[in-house]
Amino acid sequence: MNSTDSSAPLTAQMKALRAHARGGPEQLVYEDAPVPGAPTGADVLVRVAVAAITFDELTWPETWEADGVDRTPIVPSHEFAGMVAAVGPEVTGLAVGDAVFGLVPFNRNGAAAEYVLVPASSIARKPAEVSDATAAAAVLPALTAMEALEQHLQVADGGRLLIRGGTGGVGAFVVQLAGRMGIEVTATVRSAEAAERAKRLGATTALVGTETDRVPAASFDGAIDTVGAGTPEWLYSAVRPGGRVITLQEPPSEDLAAAYGVDAQFFVVTADAAVLGRLAAVLATGELEVAIADTYPLAEGAAAYGSRGTSKAPGKTVLRVRES
């Protein structure tokens, strides 16, 4: 049965960050927008508390179109934490008032708004001991790390894993989660300071910049490039024949994979309520470091998206939609 949060009655309008034309942060405006309609099927309406930013999302085709049809005006930011405001008739296991966090499908309007409509399969209950900001900031990078380790890399306990970008958004979670799985981690980083952080997160070895020439050939069971496009040849050569290389930004080089006899794969993370539930349990232990670089109010969302590269601190940039 569909129900609605009586403590916060829905109105026709909400505050949202929107873009009416394709582009970058300069297209984003803070304005009144229609509240999503009452949820149908297995959808859930969430009253957003915090939304986290992935800067590259303004370059993704899914942000701007669905099945070739323009979606503007769009609402960005797909990682969120908040409270269930209403549930569709097919939703089970969630009720109005539940604290939740999750990942909005990339071809839907996101969470940089007071309300967001999201499938129940893409959210999970948020533990009370985990803050909204921590939960929102962990969603996309931690889910990506979990899927990479559990479904794609398949490096066993005691195996050796090479991570390009061991203190980046996804890389920091791969380092931490791999360590929890008993995997020996070598991480490449950009500075001595980052090397210290990688070791603190659980890396056995941290290589700075050009030190990648110290990576022996065929010495790892798997490798993952968390940095970006243009995966370098040394990452392929570092993996033993039959091992696996994972890329996150673009499909891997078939030629390099064949040359070194590795299985190279690319994937785009998908939200899954069961995996989110397991992430929630890990976050509740307080054992994962979830870095937050900057926090902006929703009204300053355009500035938040425009701040890329300006923060000296590692971690996510988050939008504070409402006070907890």
Side-chain angles (χ1 to χ4, degrees):
M1 180 177 180
N2 191 41
S3 58
T4 302
D5 181 1
S6 59
S7 66
L10 300 181
T11 61
Q13 297 286 299
M14 65 179 180
K15 289 296 184 181
L17 187 67
R18 298 203 297 177
H20 292 261
R22 292 187 184 222
E26 76 283 352
Q27 296 291 347
L28 295 171
V29 292
Y30 176 67
E31 62 185 4
D32 289 329
V35 172
T40 60
D43 276 355
V44 176
L45 185 68
V46 175
R47 186 183 179 205
V48 180
V50 174
I53 286 176
T54 297
F55 293 109
D56 282 344
E57 70 181 282
L58 297 181
T59 69
W60 298 343
E62 298 92 336
T63 296
W64 304 101
E65 62 184 50
D67 297 325
V69 178
D70 183 88
R71 294 203 308 108
T72 55
I74 62 95
V75 177
S77 179
H78 296 268
E79 307 144 80
F80 69 90
M83 182 177 293
V84 174
V87 298
E90 297 174 14
V91 173
T92 59
L94 290 170
V96 170
D98 283 347
V100 294
F101 73 121
L103 182 68
V104 186
F106 300 128
N107 61 355
R108 285 196 183 197
N109 278 332
E114 291 181 302
Y115 291 92
V116 65
L117 198 61
V118 60
S121 58
S122 297
I123 62 178
R125 285 193 179 90
K126 181 187 72 66
E129 57 266 50
V130 178
S131 72
D132 291 325
T134 294
V139 172
L140 184 55
L143 280 183
T144 303
M146 291 174 74
E147 184 171 335
L149 287 165
E150 298 172 359
Q151 300 181 33
H152 301 284
L153 281 164
Q154 298 179 344
V155 175
D157 183 353
R160 302 189 70 221
L161 174 65
L162 176 62
I163 304 170
R164 183 183 180 221
T167 55
V170 174
F173 283 100
V174 178
V175 170
Q176 293 180 84
L177 293 169
R180 291 172 62 91
M181 297 168 67
I183 297 170
E184 180 183 326
V185 171
T186 293
T188 70
V189 295
R190 295 181 178 177
S191 67
E193 182 181 5
E196 288 302 313
R197 180 172 180 242
K199 291 179 180 179
R200 178 167 52 79
L201 292 175
T204 301
T205 304
L207 304 176
V208 181
T210 56
E211 291 181 1
T212 50
D213 59 5
R214 291 169 41 198
V215 178
S219 58
F220 290 89
D221 299 298
I224 180 169
D225 185 354
T226 72
V227 174
T231 300
E233 184 171 353
W234 58 259
L235 198 75
Y236 294 87
S237 69
V239 177
R240 62 171 173 76
R244 187 164 289 176
V245 171
I246 298 297
T247 61
L248 300 179
Q249 299 297 325
E250 66 179 12
S253 166
E254 294 181 5
D255 290 341
L256 289 175
Y260 292 101
V262 299
D263 178 13
Q265 297 183 6
F266 163 80
F267 78 95
V268 176
V269 68
T270 54
D272 179 272
V275 180
L276 278 165
R278 289 194 286 110
L279 173 58
V282 176
L283 291 174
T285 68
E287 296 174 2
L288 281 187
E289 178 181 300
V290 181
I292 297 175
D294 286 304
T295 301
Y296 289 78
L298 180 62
E300 297 177 17
Y305 273 90
S307 70
R308 182 174 192 164
T310 63
S311 177
K312 295 181 180 179
K316 277 283 189 179
T317 295
V318 300
L319 301 175
R320 188 176 64 252
V321 179
R322 65 174 173 84
E323 299 297 335
S324 299

